[in-house]
Amino acid sequence: MTDEEKPPAPDDTHAERVGAAFDDLSSRLGERLGAEERGAVDGLREAAARKDAEAARARLTDVKERHGWLYRELTAHPQIAALIDELALWGF
């Protein structure tokens, strides 16, 4: 099997799933995301892509405290809710 034929590494697949989920959320929310909210979502996306449970927990807590509506949107989004469940398995 050549390098081109190998399936993506699990971390690559995870990062792609995270990117797709957050892209979908961003497209659904559109104009409702201001600069501050977009920054919070981007920080959470980066932490989730790195599988950094501690950073993701801190980002999600910040979103919950500062942007309750956005927290509700995050936890209601099926793909992101699944990622949050995975974070729990990583020690969230």
Side-chain angles (χ1 to χ4, degrees):
M1 183 181 281
T2 67
D3 285 349
E4 292 176 334
E5 297 171 337
K6 290 181 183 175
D11 287 342
D12 292 343
T13 302
H14 172 76
E16 289 172 11
R17 283 184 34 242
V18 169
F22 279 89
D23 287 346
D24 184 63
L25 176 75
S26 293
S27 70
R28 287 182 188 195
L29 297 179
E31 298 290 322
R32 292 176 58 194
L33 285 177
E36 186 177 342
E37 292 89 353
R38 188 165 303 280
V41 169
D42 288 345
L44 183 56
R45 174 200 298 241
E46 291 170 13
R50 290 190 322 266
K51 295 185 178 181
D52 184 342
E54 185 176 323
R57 181 184 323 111
R59 298 285 186 165
L60 194 57
T61 299
D62 183 58
V63 168
K64 185 177 183 179
E65 291 173 356
R66 298 177 70 183
H67 311 286
W69 72 270
L70 180 55
Y71 177 81
R72 289 187 297 277
E73 293 288 343
L74 285 163
T75 58
H77 189 281
Q79 295 165 309
I80 294 178
L83 290 169
I84 292 171
D85 288 344
E86 286 178 27
L87 289 172
L89 295 174
W90 303 331
F92 192 63

